[in-house]
Amino acid sequence: MRHTLRFTPSGPIRCLYTEKIDLALLGRLSVVRASEITFDRENQRWDALDARTGKRLFSHESRDECVRWEHQNLQPGLPAFDQQTNNT
């Protein structure tokens, strides 16, 4: 799986967190969730929700598929990631 680190002009790095890269080696971490994966009991599905708005971004019977969707769609430079991080 590909992981992207985006260095902003002012210095901070934006990325989808992974333990495959020891990000603490780059400096002090500030972690903000872009999404939350929760189970919808009524629909019996897992939902990836926008952490700020609660809007459903993706839904699937499998939690692993929601996690996979996060990794495929919430990398820096992709529209879903950029929409969620423009205001942070």
Side-chain angles (χ1 to χ4, degrees), residues 4-6 8 13-17 32-35 50 52 57 69-88:
T4 302
L5 301 178
R6 175 167 283 174
T8 64
I13 301 168
R14 290 186 170 180
C15 65
L16 185 62
Y17 182 80
V32 177
R33 294 277 312 160
S35 66
D50 182 306
R52 289 181 304 162
L57 302 171
W69 181 88
E70 282 183 318
H71 283 274
Q72 292 174 346
N73 292 278
L74 297 180
Q75 293 286 345
L78 297 176
F81 180 91
D82 292 339
Q83 285 174 344
Q84 290 185 305
T85 60
N86 276 341
N87 297 325
T88 60

Side-chain angles (χ1 to χ4, degrees), residues 44-60:
Q44 294 294 292
R45 296 175 67 87
W46 291 93
D47 293 331
L49 306 174
D50 182 306
R52 289 181 304 162
T53 67
K55 176 184 172 191
R56 183 182 301 123
L57 302 171
F58 181 77
S59 185
H60 200 276

Side-chain angles (χ1 to χ4, degrees), residues 29-40:
L29 298 179
S30 173
V31 179
V32 177
R33 294 277 312 160
S35 66
E36 296 179 40
I37 296 177
T38 62
F39 187 70
D40 181 340

